[in-house]
Amino acid sequence: MGRPGLSGRVAVVTGAAGGIGAAVARTLVADGAGVVLADVDVAGAEKVARRLREEGHPGRALAARLDVTSPADWQAVCRTACRAFGRPQLLVNNAGVHGLHGVESLGEEEWSTVVDVCQRGTWLGMRALAPLMRLAGGGSIVNLSSVFALIGTGAAVAYHAAKGAIVSMTRTAALEFAPQRIRVNAVSPGIVRTPLTDGLPAGFVDRIAADTPLGRPGAPAEIAAAVHFLLSDAASYITGTNLVVDGGLTAR
Protein backbone atom coordinates (compact mmCIF):
# COMPACT_ATOMS: atom_id res chain seq x y z
CA MET A 1 0.00 0.00 0.00
CA GLY A 2 1.35 3.42 -0.88
CA ARG A 3 1.90 6.00 1.81
CA PRO A 4 -1.25 8.14 2.25
CA GLY A 5 -0.54 11.74 1.32
CA LEU A 6 -1.00 14.76 3.55
CA SER A 7 -1.94 17.12 0.74
CA GLY A 8 -4.12 19.95 2.00
CA ARG A 9 -3.41 19.32 5.68
CA VAL A 10 -1.87 21.88 7.97
CA ALA A 11 0.84 21.09 10.52
CA VAL A 12 2.66 22.91 13.31
CA VAL A 13 6.10 21.51 14.19
CA THR A 14 7.93 22.89 17.21
CA GLY A 15 11.68 22.93 17.62
CA ALA A 16 11.88 23.02 13.83
CA ALA A 17 15.12 24.97 13.45
CA GLY A 18 17.23 21.83 13.34
CA GLY A 19 17.66 18.16 14.14
CA ILE A 20 14.51 16.07 14.43
CA GLY A 21 12.16 19.04 14.06
CA ALA A 22 13.65 20.09 10.74
CA ALA A 23 13.58 16.49 9.50
CA VAL A 24 9.90 16.17 10.46
CA ALA A 25 9.06 19.42 8.69
CA ARG A 26 10.86 18.23 5.55
CA THR A 27 8.96 14.93 5.56
CA LEU A 28 5.58 16.61 5.99
CA VAL A 29 6.20 19.29 3.38
CA ALA A 30 7.38 16.66 0.90
CA ASP A 31 4.12 14.78 1.46
CA GLY A 32 1.97 17.79 0.63
CA ALA A 33 1.26 19.45 3.99
CA GLY A 34 1.48 23.13 4.72
CA VAL A 35 3.84 23.41 7.68
CA VAL A 36 4.51 26.14 10.23
CA LEU A 37 8.08 25.65 11.45
CA ALA A 38 7.93 27.05 14.97
CA ASP A 39 11.00 27.70 17.09
CA VAL A 40 12.33 30.22 19.58
CA ASP A 41 15.24 30.43 17.11
CA VAL A 42 13.12 32.01 14.40
CA ALA A 43 16.16 32.77 12.21
CA GLY A 44 17.08 29.09 12.24
CA ALA A 45 13.51 28.08 11.48
CA GLU A 46 13.37 30.54 8.59
CA LYS A 47 16.60 29.10 7.19
CA VAL A 48 15.04 25.62 7.15
CA ALA A 49 11.77 26.92 5.68
CA ARG A 50 13.61 28.80 2.94
CA ARG A 51 15.59 25.69 2.06
CA LEU A 52 12.38 23.66 1.80
CA ARG A 53 10.81 26.25 -0.48
CA GLU A 54 13.92 26.27 -2.67
CA GLU A 55 13.84 22.46 -2.86
CA GLY A 56 10.59 22.62 -4.80
CA HIS A 57 7.91 23.19 -2.18
CA PRO A 58 6.89 26.83 -2.63
CA GLY A 59 4.13 28.05 -0.37
CA ARG A 60 4.25 25.05 1.98
CA ALA A 61 6.82 26.07 4.62
CA LEU A 62 6.54 29.10 6.90
CA ALA A 63 8.67 29.98 9.92
CA ALA A 64 7.25 31.46 13.11
CA ARG A 65 8.75 32.40 16.46
CA LEU A 66 7.50 30.24 19.32
CA ASP A 67 8.53 30.02 22.94
CA VAL A 68 6.62 26.85 23.82
CA THR A 69 6.30 27.99 27.45
CA SER A 70 4.31 31.09 26.40
CA PRO A 71 0.52 30.74 25.93
CA ALA A 72 0.53 34.04 24.02
CA ASP A 73 3.13 32.70 21.58
CA TRP A 74 1.01 29.58 21.02
CA GLN A 75 -2.01 31.70 20.18
CA ALA A 76 0.09 33.77 17.77
CA VAL A 77 1.33 30.61 16.02
CA CYS A 78 -2.25 29.35 15.71
CA ARG A 79 -3.26 32.64 14.08
CA THR A 80 -0.28 32.44 11.73
CA ALA A 81 -1.14 28.88 10.69
CA CYS A 82 -4.80 29.74 10.08
CA ARG A 83 -3.97 32.80 7.99
CA ALA A 84 -1.32 31.02 5.92
CA PHE A 85 -2.82 27.57 5.40
CA GLY A 86 -6.07 27.07 7.33
CA ARG A 87 -6.90 25.34 10.59
CA PRO A 88 -4.14 22.94 11.72
CA GLN A 89 -4.96 19.25 11.86
CA LEU A 90 -1.45 18.08 12.76
CA LEU A 91 0.82 18.98 15.68
CA VAL A 92 4.31 17.74 16.48
CA ASN A 93 5.49 18.76 19.96
CA ASN A 94 9.21 18.34 19.42
CA ALA A 95 10.83 21.30 21.21
CA GLY A 96 12.98 20.33 24.14
CA VAL A 97 16.12 21.06 26.15
CA HIS A 98 18.54 18.80 27.98
CA GLY A 99 19.46 18.87 31.64
CA LEU A 100 22.56 17.06 32.83
CA HIS A 101 22.47 16.91 36.61
CA GLY A 102 21.39 14.17 39.00
CA VAL A 103 19.11 14.46 42.02
CA GLU A 104 21.56 16.04 44.46
CA SER A 105 23.44 18.27 42.05
CA LEU A 106 20.36 19.52 40.19
CA GLY A 107 19.51 23.18 40.76
CA GLU A 108 16.01 24.60 40.82
CA GLU A 109 16.64 26.73 37.73
CA GLU A 110 17.65 23.72 35.61
CA TRP A 111 14.66 21.72 36.87
CA SER A 112 12.27 24.55 36.04
CA THR A 113 13.72 25.15 32.58
CA VAL A 114 13.72 21.51 31.49
CA VAL A 115 10.27 20.72 32.86
CA ASP A 116 8.82 24.01 31.56
CA VAL A 117 10.03 23.47 27.99
CA CYS A 118 9.61 19.71 27.63
CA GLN A 119 6.55 19.00 29.77
CA ARG A 120 4.61 22.25 30.09
CA GLY A 121 5.33 23.20 26.48
CA THR A 122 3.81 19.93 25.29
CA TRP A 123 0.67 20.53 27.36
CA LEU A 124 0.33 24.11 26.12
CA GLY A 125 0.65 22.95 22.52
CA MET A 126 -2.11 20.37 22.86
CA ARG A 127 -4.31 22.87 24.69
CA ALA A 128 -3.83 25.54 22.02
CA LEU A 129 -4.39 23.37 18.94
CA ALA A 130 -7.10 20.95 20.06
CA PRO A 131 -9.93 23.48 19.57
CA LEU A 132 -8.78 24.18 16.01
CA MET A 133 -8.53 20.47 15.28
CA ARG A 134 -12.11 19.98 16.48
CA LEU A 135 -13.28 22.71 14.11
CA ALA A 136 -11.30 21.04 11.31
CA GLY A 137 -13.07 17.74 11.94
CA GLY A 138 -10.24 15.97 13.76
CA GLY A 139 -6.50 15.70 13.78
CA SER A 140 -3.37 13.96 14.98
CA ILE A 141 -0.81 14.94 17.59
CA VAL A 142 2.64 13.42 18.09
CA ASN A 143 4.58 14.29 21.24
CA LEU A 144 8.32 13.65 21.25
CA SER A 145 9.36 11.81 24.38
CA SER A 146 12.62 9.87 24.70
CA VAL A 147 13.99 6.44 25.40
CA PHE A 148 15.12 8.06 28.65
CA ALA A 149 11.50 8.08 29.75
CA LEU A 150 11.89 4.29 29.94
CA ILE A 151 15.45 3.69 31.20
CA GLY A 152 17.74 5.42 33.66
CA THR A 153 21.17 6.93 33.17
CA GLY A 154 22.07 7.96 36.72
CA ALA A 155 21.91 11.65 35.75
CA ALA A 156 19.71 14.17 33.93
CA VAL A 157 16.87 13.65 36.39
CA ALA A 158 14.80 16.63 35.15
CA TYR A 159 15.00 15.40 31.56
CA HIS A 160 14.00 11.86 32.56
CA ALA A 161 11.10 13.23 34.61
CA ALA A 162 9.81 15.53 31.89
CA LYS A 163 10.03 12.94 29.14
CA GLY A 164 8.30 10.35 31.31
CA ALA A 165 5.51 12.85 31.95
CA ILE A 166 5.06 13.32 28.20
CA VAL A 167 4.27 9.62 27.79
CA SER A 168 1.69 9.80 30.58
CA MET A 169 0.14 13.00 29.19
CA THR A 170 -0.06 11.41 25.77
CA ARG A 171 -2.06 8.45 27.06
CA THR A 172 -4.58 10.53 28.98
CA ALA A 173 -4.93 13.11 26.20
CA ALA A 174 -5.62 10.28 23.75
CA LEU A 175 -8.60 9.21 25.86
CA GLU A 176 -9.81 12.78 26.27
CA PHE A 177 -9.64 13.64 22.58
CA ALA A 178 -10.69 10.34 20.98
CA PRO A 179 -14.40 11.32 20.87
CA GLN A 180 -13.33 14.46 18.98
CA ARG A 181 -11.52 12.44 16.29
CA ILE A 182 -8.13 13.65 17.51
CA ARG A 183 -5.46 10.98 17.87
CA VAL A 184 -2.55 11.52 20.28
CA ASN A 185 0.63 9.43 20.23
CA ALA A 186 4.23 9.70 21.38
CA VAL A 187 7.55 8.81 19.77
CA SER A 188 10.50 7.94 22.00
CA PRO A 189 13.77 8.16 20.09
CA GLY A 190 16.94 6.51 21.25
CA ILE A 191 20.20 8.40 20.92
CA VAL A 192 20.16 10.55 17.77
CA ARG A 193 22.91 12.80 16.48
CA THR A 194 21.49 16.34 16.41
CA PRO A 195 22.74 19.82 17.36
CA LEU A 196 21.10 19.21 20.75
CA THR A 197 22.99 15.98 21.45
CA ASP A 198 26.21 17.58 20.16
CA GLY A 199 26.09 19.64 23.36
CA LEU A 200 26.16 16.59 25.62
CA PRO A 201 29.33 15.61 27.52
CA ALA A 202 32.12 14.18 25.37
CA GLY A 203 31.67 10.50 24.62
CA PHE A 204 28.07 10.23 25.86
CA VAL A 205 26.53 9.67 22.42
CA ASP A 206 29.21 7.13 21.53
CA ARG A 207 28.68 5.22 24.79
CA ILE A 208 24.91 4.95 24.26
CA ALA A 209 25.45 3.99 20.62
CA ALA A 210 27.83 1.23 21.71
CA ASP A 211 25.07 -0.18 23.95
CA THR A 212 22.53 -0.04 21.11
CA PRO A 213 22.05 -3.41 19.36
CA LEU A 214 22.09 -1.80 15.91
CA GLY A 215 25.44 -0.31 16.85
CA ARG A 216 24.93 3.32 15.89
CA PRO A 217 22.99 6.48 16.73
CA GLY A 218 19.75 7.13 14.91
CA ALA A 219 19.37 9.75 12.21
CA PRO A 220 16.79 12.56 12.40
CA ALA A 221 15.16 11.28 9.20
CA GLU A 222 14.54 7.90 10.84
CA ILE A 223 12.65 9.55 13.70
CA ALA A 224 10.78 11.77 11.24
CA ALA A 225 9.56 8.68 9.37
CA ALA A 226 7.99 7.33 12.57
CA VAL A 227 6.37 10.68 13.32
CA HIS A 228 5.00 10.87 9.78
CA PHE A 229 3.48 7.40 10.10
CA LEU A 230 1.64 8.28 13.30
CA LEU A 231 0.35 11.53 11.83
CA SER A 232 -0.87 9.87 8.65
CA ASP A 233 -4.03 7.92 7.85
CA ALA A 234 -1.91 4.77 7.83
CA ALA A 235 -2.09 5.03 11.63
CA SER A 236 -5.82 5.82 11.73
CA TYR A 237 -6.51 3.15 14.39
CA ILE A 238 -3.56 4.07 16.60
CA THR A 239 -3.91 6.42 19.55
CA GLY A 240 -2.46 6.54 23.05
CA THR A 241 0.68 4.63 22.11
CA ASN A 242 4.37 5.33 22.57
CA LEU A 243 6.40 4.25 19.55
CA VAL A 244 9.98 3.51 20.60
CA VAL A 245 12.56 4.12 17.85
CA ASP A 246 15.81 3.24 19.58
CA GLY A 247 17.80 0.72 17.55
CA GLY A 248 16.89 -1.98 20.05
CA LEU A 249 18.31 -0.25 23.13
CA THR A 250 15.32 -1.02 25.36
CA ALA A 251 15.18 -4.65 24.15
CA ARG A 252 18.16 -5.46 26.36
Side-chain angles (χ1 to χ4, degrees), residues 90-185:
L90 309 174
L91 168 64
V92 180
N93 278 311
N94 167 71
V97 293
H98 280 303
L100 300 177
H101 294 90
V103 173
E104 291 190 278
S105 60
L106 176 66
E108 292 185 18
E109 183 177 355
E110 180 178 311
W111 172 272
S112 296
T113 298
V114 174
V115 171
D116 214 26
V117 173
C118 295
Q119 180 177 333
R120 184 167 175 267
T122 297
W123 160 60
L124 288 175
M126 292 192 290
R127 188 180 73 168
L129 268 78
L132 298 176
M133 291 183 179
R134 281 198 298 272
L135 292 172
S140 181
I141 298 169
V142 173
N143 300 321
L144 268 293
S145 181
S146 168
V147 71
F148 298 125
L150 308 174
I151 62 174
T153 61
V157 66
Y159 187 77
H160 282 274
K163 290 300 187 178
I166 288 171
V167 174
S168 294
M169 284 195 298
T170 294
R171 292 190 180 112
T172 197
L175 298 180
E176 178 180 352
F177 293 139
Q180 303 162 31
R181 299 174 57 85
I182 300 171
R183 297 184 298 105
V184 188
N185 292 290

Side-chain angles (χ1 to χ4, degrees), residues 87 90 186 207 235:
R87 293 188 184 108
L90 309 174
R207 286 196 299 273

